Amino acid sequence: MTLAAAGVTRTADGRLILDGVGITPPPGAVTGLLGPNGSGKSTLLRVLSGVLAPASGVVTLDGAPLGELRRRDVARRVAVVEQQADTLVELTVTDVVRLGRTPHRRAWTPLTAADERAVRDALERTGLAGHADRAWHTLSGGERQRAQIARALAQEPRELLLDEPTNHLDIQHQHDLLHLVGELEVTSVVALHDLNLAAMYCDHLVILRQGRVVAAGAPRQVLTEELIAAVYGVRASVTEPDGDGRPYVRVLGTLTRGTAPSR
């Protein structure tokens, strides 16, 4: 058992953002969180991390309600990579990655040898070892994203939540990143926009539309032409060119107004 949500509802400014969402990511697997802009992906990740509390429903970690656990205990287990991060403080890449060790240390204590090993390993795994001493503000958007992922890896989590981590990354680094996530022995939930990246690297998919889960399962089961039309409003062909059970989506065009299938 790991991180899960049941009947989760969340509102903002009187608007329903999540509507009775239930999600049970398979332990040790990569779950892709898909859906159009505004479908609730980022909000759901924040609720799963404990940053936001649900208006109703419950998020559990190993069966215990998240709200009943100490924040430090949750931080030792669950790492989060947001879409964007910035700082006005002069930090090096190594300084940023060292922040991942914070939940494992007492206040004002120096890093241990184990902490430094975790930081070095995270820098190497994300291809940033050569940038360790660079100032954060000199990094490109893609490099900053990789530094944030390195920080999360230095945390040595058992659950990893990533909000559109491939933003700002070129094609090579998109694939490198998702391959890395797939190699980790953690339970991962990653919000993505690219359906083909999700089909290639995710073991399990959850599709959100207007704050509700409309489909969940293996990519081959979930990514159908009918569902893509209903959720995204586009015509698509879905094939399996490699015969490996991983679907490939080719968008053919938008649906004519009024022809999108109803929810």
Side-chain angles (χ1 to χ4, degrees):
M1 188 179 294
T2 180
L3 199 62
V8 166
T9 299
R10 174 78 188 182
T11 60
D13 298 325
R15 186 168 67 93
L16 193 60
I17 306 298
L18 298 175
D19 186 5
V21 169
I23 174 174
T24 306
V30 180
T31 293
L33 197 58
L34 303 177
N37 290 336
S39 58
K41 299 188 297 295
S42 295
T43 300
L44 178 56
L45 288 176
R46 292 190 180 103
V47 171
L48 288 172
S49 71
V51 171
L52 296 177
S56 61
V58 64
V59 175
T60 57
L61 186 60
D62 289 344
L66 211 60
E68 297 179 5
L69 300 175
R70 294 192 312 164
R71 186 62 196 159
R72 177 176 287 270
D73 291 338
V74 175
R76 286 174 174 169
R77 283 282 304 271
V78 183
V80 181
V81 177
E82 298 279 3
Q83 287 187 36
Q84 294 185 2
D86 208 348
T87 178
L88 297 177
V89 180
E90 290 291 332
L91 297 176
T92 66
V93 173
T94 298
D95 292 333
V96 170
V97 178
R98 282 173 175 157
L99 293 174
R101 300 304 300 167
T102 301
H104 300 278
R105 300 165 52 210
R106 293 182 179 179
W108 313 114
T109 59
L111 272 73
T112 66
D115 291 328
E116 295 290 10
R117 280 195 300 271
V119 170
R120 286 195 303 271
D121 181 63
L123 287 167
E124 291 172 1
R125 296 178 80 175
T126 52
L128 289 173
H131 299 297
D133 297 324
R134 279 185 60 183
W136 166 264
H137 71 271
T138 68
L139 300 179
S140 68
E143 289 167 338
R144 290 188 182 193
Q145 188 73 327
R146 282 192 284 151
Q148 287 300 107
I149 292 164
R151 175 197 53 76
L153 295 183
Q155 195 171 326
E156 298 182 310
R158 285 171 55 187
E159 288 80 21
L160 180 61
L161 309 177
L162 305 103
D163 194 358
E164 298 182 23
T166 56
N167 280 1
H168 310 297
L169 298 182
D170 59 37
I171 294 173
Q172 177 187 348
H173 286 110
Q174 288 179 14
H175 286 270
D176 287 347
L177 166 64
L178 292 175
H179 177 75
L180 170 62
V181 172
E183 292 293 307
L184 299 174
E185 295 181 359
V186 300
T187 300
S188 300
V189 181
V190 51
L192 293 167
H193 274 300
D194 191 310
L195 302 184
N196 287 314
L197 281 177
M200 187 178 299
Y201 289 102
C202 297
D203 308 294
H204 183 78
L205 297 179
V206 174
I207 313 295
L208 292 177
R209 183 185 182 216
Q210 297 178 4
R212 294 181 179 178
V213 175
V214 296
R220 189 177 191 178
Q221 300 170 322
V222 169
L223 291 180
T224 66
E225 295 171 3
E226 294 77 14
L227 181 132
I228 293 168
V231 172
Y232 292 96
V234 298
R235 293 184 299 109
S237 69
V238 180
T239 57
E240 190 184 313
D242 296 328
D244 60 357
R246 298 284 182 174
Y248 176 78
V249 178
R250 179 171 174 243
V251 176
L252 304 175
T254 59
L255 291 169
T256 304
R257 182 175 295 180
T259 63
S262 59
R263 183 170 66 184

